[in-house]
Amino acid sequence: MTKKSKATLATHASLVPERNFGIPNPPVYHASTILKSNLSDYRNHVGEYDYGRMGTPTSEATEKAVAQLYGCDDIVAVPSGLSAIVVGILSAVKNGDQALFPDSLYGSGRRFVEQELPRQGVEPVFYDPTGKIDDLADLVTAQTSLIYIETPGSLTFEMQDTQAIVTLAHENGVLVAADNTWGTALYYDVFGHGIDIVIEAGTKYISGHSDVSIGFVGGNGDVGRAIRNHCLNYGLCVGPDDHYLALRGLRTMPLRLKQSEQNGLALARWIEDQPEVVGMLHPGLESHPQHHLWKRDFSGSCGLFSFVIDAGISDAAVDDMVNNLEMFGIGASWGGFESLISEANYKRSVSSRPNGRVMRIYAGVEDTNDLLADIERGFERLRNLK
Ligand SMILES: Cc1ncc(COP(=O)(O)O)c(C=O)c1O
């Protein structure tokens, strides 16, 4: 078979019309029970599928398509991006271990790490995502079993030097897990960079329509097997309709991602030049302090970024700017078709915070000029009220 680009794989992976009356999209099989023709077959697990929770043609189609995009042995679908984070971490640690997390870890992931890991006898330690590699090396002990990466970081978009971190981890026999929701399989080659465990919130770009909650987590060889085993033991599975919607979303993800990327860059470039803006947190822009890492490691940027408004600007002015935007919904999540804006609420314990009010924008797939015009009108309101 000829080698295909990731964009083509997203469109073509897991199509089996020859097994499906010529219909391109795999059908939605609703199943808990899967019947066997006799007791011997039941006893010996004869047949491709045994029990709905453990896999159906529907779940297999989605998981295989995402695994193909990542070029890894196995990917498991779990009920949310957060559960992908949880599974990725728990499959790599055991009682008595220590695990390292970037201070810019996604907020709900941080809550899990802080509240639940100690209950499992695992010590979480936070590190500065842009700190020196020697400082990270100082945190590694004989008990360290996992270094977790999220690049760029949630809300504040710090880029991490994954090459240096992976080298450090592997020299010490430590696994590396990465939340690749921002980079996606299309813009960041997780396994090509030597990372062991991939996590992606399929709720975002893969599903792409703000109506599905799903996560993906996986790896190669024993790591991939441990992840699948963990999901089996914990009874994690996703309903067939959500599998179907995620795979359906994947078909157009390359196009949506491209438009969202272009919109994000256009908005970020315009916003960056406004006098009320004291910081632009977009790794794809030359002004980003770790732009060189993005340029070295990524082949694109998604449409999610933040900007920092001068702390002296009043709540009323910011509220008036945001509340009256026509094109941007006010809400969490991202990766859907529609643009969103929100104010960042986050915790940091070992790294510095941007000085000012951090606003996050998700650029959807709308017309670029309509988004720009709306934001321009928003800044006029901000300026008038200040
Ligand atoms: C970077 C990142 N990872 C994971 C998640 C969690 O995804 P979900 O909302 O599907 O649990 C999010 C959600 O916003 C996210 O931004």
Side-chain angles (χ1 to χ4, degrees):
M1 274 246 261
T2 48
K3 193 168 162 8
K4 298 191 179 66
S5 75
K6 288 192 176 177
T8 301
L9 278 179
T11 315
H12 282 222
S14 292
L15 290 179
V16 279
E18 64 282 6
R19 288 180 62 179
N20 185 27
F21 308 102
I23 298 164
N25 276 331
V28 183
Y29 286 100
H30 283 265
S32 50
T33 297
I34 294 173
L35 299 174
K36 305 288 169 165
S37 26
N38 56 57
L39 198 52
S40 165
D41 285 0
Y42 180 81
R43 209 180 280 131
N44 297 308
H45 306 282
V46 172
E48 281 179 79
Y49 307 98
D50 264 338
Y51 184 54
R53 165 162 55 70
M54 293 155 71
T56 65
T58 307
S59 64
E60 199 178 79
T62 314
E63 289 173 344
K64 283 205 162 146
V66 178
Q68 243 186 299
L69 266 190
Y70 272 109
C72 71
D73 293 348
D74 200 14
I75 291 272
V76 189
V78 290
S80 65
L82 178 58
S83 52
I85 293 172
V86 169
V87 167
I89 295 170
L90 288 184
S91 67
V93 297
K94 61 179 187 328
N95 192 316
D97 284 352
Q98 179 242 49
L100 301 173
F101 298 93
D103 211 17
S104 49
L105 173 66
Y106 166 63
S108 300
R110 183 176 187 122
R111 201 171 55 224
F112 166 77
V113 161
E114 288 182 328
Q115 295 184 6
E116 301 296 334
L117 275 192
R119 282 159 42 87
Q120 310 273 343
V122 178
E123 183 200 6
V125 174
F126 287 93
Y127 65 90
D128 181 345
T130 60
K132 292 197 180 72
I133 195 68
D134 289 348
D135 293 339
L136 183 60
D138 286 345
L139 299 175
V140 175
T141 68
Q143 280 67 49
T144 310
S145 55
L146 176 72
I147 301 182
Y148 189 98
I149 289 175
E150 188 182 328
T151 184
S154 268
L155 302 171
T156 41
F157 297 88
E158 298 88 345
M159 294 301 296
Q160 298 192 243
D161 187 346
T162 50
Q163 271 181 16
I165 294 172
V166 166
T167 304
L168 168 72
H170 291 172
E171 277 169 5
N172 288 277
V174 169
L175 290 175
V176 180
D179 182 336
N180 191 41
T181 308
W182 191 92
T184 80
L186 295 173
Y187 286 165
Y188 183 68
D189 182 4
V190 171
F191 295 101
H193 283 87
I195 290 161
D196 304 288
I197 297 170
V198 68
I199 291 157
E200 183 170 341
T203 310
K204 319 297 183 205
Y205 278 108
I206 291 180
S207 300
H209 294 75
S210 315
D211 52 4
V212 176
S213 180
I214 194 167
F216 296 99
V217 53
N220 286 312
D222 285 348
V223 172
R225 278 188 285 278
I227 289 168
R228 185 159 290 276
N229 200 38
H230 186 91
C231 293
L232 282 174
N233 289 342
Y234 279 80
L236 298 175
C237 61
V238 174
D241 294 315
D242 285 344
H243 268 292
Y244 177 82
L245 288 171
L247 185 57
R248 196 178 204 265
L250 188 69
R251 303 293 180 219
T252 55
M253 179 179 157
L255 284 172
R256 289 185 282 102
L257 184 59
K258 216 178 270 176
Q259 180 68 13
S260 168
E261 172 180 26
Q262 279 169 18
N263 283 345
L265 286 168
L267 286 166
R269 288 206 173 99
W270 187 88
I271 291 171
E272 183 171 43
D273 288 340
Q274 305 315 301
E276 295 81 6
V277 172
V278 293
M280 173 49 66
L281 311 177
H282 190 309
L285 291 198
E286 299 71 17
S287 56
H288 189 282
Q290 296 93 38
H291 176 68
H292 60 287
L293 293 177
W294 172 82
K295 216 170 159 182
R296 184 190 71 187
D297 295 340
F298 285 69
S299 57
S301 56
C302 80
L304 188 76
F305 65 95
S306 290
F307 61 97
V308 189
I309 297 185
D310 189 325
I313 292 179
S314 70
D315 287 352
V318 175
D319 287 1
D320 193 41
M321 170 175 96
V322 171
N323 291 343
N324 292 301
L325 289 170
E326 290 173 31
M327 306 286 300
F328 295 79
I330 302 170
S333 205
W334 48 282
F337 51 88
E338 82 287 38
S339 292
L340 298 169
I341 188 164
S342 57
E343 185 168 345
N345 176 14
Y346 56 97
K347 178 175 171 185
R348 298 286 182 264
S349 52
V350 297
S351 58
S352 56
R353 301 162 65 99
N355 191 11
R357 189 193 296 259
V358 177
M359 306 296 298
R360 190 181 75 170
I361 281 192
Y362 166 64
V365 301
E366 299 93 338
D367 178 82
T368 315
N369 289 329
D370 288 343
L371 291 179
L372 277 171
D374 198 27
I375 277 290
E376 284 176 32
R377 287 191 296 271
F379 269 87
E380 264 167 44
R381 286 192 295 279
L382 183 78
R383 216 150 283 152
N384 289 341
L385 266 181
K386 256 192 209 172

